[in-house]
Amino acid sequence: MKIQNLKENRQNIYLYPLIAAVILRLAEIPFISTSTAALMEYGTIARNMLSGAGYAFTWYHADGSFVILPTAYMPPGQVLIQYAVLSLVGNNSTAVLALYSIQIVQSGAFIYMLGKIKDALFKSRNATMVTIWLAAIYPPFIYLTMNFGVTSSALLLNALVLYIGILFSEALRSEKKQMKYALLMGVSCGLMLLFRGEEPSIILMTL
């Protein structure tokens, strides 16, 4: 019973920070650009895919002319997210708001993962509570939700890789569920590579 109550208490500490995080990020909506230009190079490649040009980027010349060429300019993860939204909603301000909603969800998941990492490392309810509250109200974390680049996705996946790495390390020590966490580690690292090409070096430094 005590163990069950402890688990419930640890889960309950996430509720108010997550509510605060969502409210603060919704309050940003009047300040975000709803122009599809805000989607940056990821949106450019996604729009070219929708137009039939394939995975291509639009390059502009000094005279104002442009050429659309196949590119490996950006990993496909963020492009595919924007492609899916643009294909469903259209190339308009509604798509930008839909993507912003996705990034709010990503920020909530990131805050939750930070709490899980803290709890896994220190097993302290107070330390976990401080961590998730700081992540919820930390101004740079709030601001980055307004950026339609790869940051929201990369932060979430970095936290996921680190958390699974901790679980994998514990599994290696206890010799239990090693295969499960080895597979999860591989999958999470693979997902991360879809968003950041330099991720192998980040993963090595993290672990």
Side-chain angles (χ1 to χ4, degrees):
M1 183 64 72
K2 288 183 178 180
I3 294 176
Q4 183 178 355
N5 290 337
L6 180 59
K7 288 182 178 180
E8 289 177 356
N9 288 335
R10 283 179 175 170
Q11 294 302 319
N12 289 338
I13 65 175
Y14 290 91
L15 180 60
Y16 292 116
L18 288 174
I19 290 174
V22 171
I23 291 173
L24 289 170
R25 285 152 180 80
L26 288 175
E28 288 182 319
I29 289 178
F31 304 101
I32 67 173
S33 171
T34 56
S35 166
T36 53
L39 303 183
M40 304 164 60
E41 58 268 30
Y42 311 97
T44 300
I45 297 172
R47 286 190 293 271
N48 286 335
M49 290 171 65
L50 287 168
S51 69
Y55 200 90
F57 190 71
T58 304
W59 301 94
Y60 288 89
H61 299 294
D63 61 3
S65 63
F66 65 90
V67 61
I68 299 175
L69 295 172
T71 183
Y73 184 46
M74 281 294 160
Q78 192 67 27
V79 173
L80 293 177
I81 291 175
Q82 295 193 6
Y83 172 81
V85 173
L86 290 173
S87 64
L88 290 172
V89 181
N91 185 35
N92 50 47
S93 59
T94 303
V96 176
L97 292 174
L99 285 164
Y100 186 69
S101 300
I102 291 173
Q103 294 189 169
I104 290 177
V105 173
Q106 288 178 323
S107 67
F110 169 67
I111 292 166
Y112 180 78
M113 290 307 305
L114 282 185
K116 298 296 287 184
I117 291 168
K118 192 74 169 184
D119 194 45
L121 290 174
F122 299 101
K123 304 292 190 297
S124 167
R125 184 178 186 277
N126 290 336
T128 301
M129 184 182 300
V130 170
T131 298
I132 56 182
W133 268 112
L134 284 175
I137 65 175
Y138 186 49
F141 285 165
I142 298 171
Y143 175 76
L144 70 81
T145 314
M146 298 173 63
N147 182 285
F148 292 98
V150 74
T151 313
S152 292
S153 300
L155 275 178
L156 173 57
L157 287 170
N158 264 329
L160 179 64
V161 168
L162 178 55
Y163 180 58
I164 293 175
I166 293 169
L167 297 181
F168 188 27
S169 176
E170 292 177 350
L172 290 174
R173 286 198 298 269
S174 64
E175 298 184 354
K176 294 179 181 179
K177 300 181 179 179
Q178 293 181 13
M179 182 62 71
K180 172 185 174 180
Y181 290 114
L183 290 171
L184 287 173
M185 189 69 186
V187 170
S188 62
C189 290
L191 285 173
M192 189 69 236
L193 281 170
L194 293 176
F195 290 82
R196 298 299 302 183
E198 73 278 18
E199 186 56 28
S201 60
I202 297 175
I203 291 172
L204 287 174
M205 288 187 292
T206 302
L207 300 177

